[in-house]
Amino acid sequence: MTEAIEQEILRQTAERGPGKSICPSEVARALAPEEDAWRRLMGQVRAAAIRLARQGKVEVLRKGKPVDPDAEIRGVIRLRIAGEEA
């Protein structure tokens, strides 16, 4: 499932385009569209996003600004393709 999550994050961020971000829940909902099944994936989606950020493939945003993927990331985040400033 980890690889599928990472691929979906990369697909959605690329599809959204330069300077635009996605919500991690969009990824979870795409992979588990059943009623509330997507909620169980949220931890895995956040972990995959952090791994991809460490690889330089995506940026994790908090309040619209990139955050260090090695720091503790709490609260609402969004994701965008790396290097794509708004």
Side-chain angles (χ1 to χ4, degrees), residues 59-68 77-78 80 85:
E59 290 181 318
V60 177
L61 307 173
R62 179 97 170 94
K63 297 184 179 179
K65 299 193 183 330
V67 294
D68 180 354
I77 62 170
R78 291 190 64 83
R80 73 175 171 204
E85 300 284 327

Side-chain angles (χ1 to χ4, degrees), residues 22-29 38 42 45-46 49 77-79:
I22 65 166
C23 180
S25 67
E26 294 176 64
V27 174
R29 289 173 198 264
W38 64 271
M42 286 301 294
V45 171
R46 286 177 71 99
I77 62 170
R78 291 190 64 83
L79 310 171

Side-chain angles (χ1 to χ4, degrees), residues 26-41:
E26 294 176 64
V27 174
R29 289 173 198 264
L31 295 171
E34 308 81 35
E35 192 164 318
D36 280 334
W38 64 271
R39 292 179 191 277
R40 291 189 294 275
L41 285 181

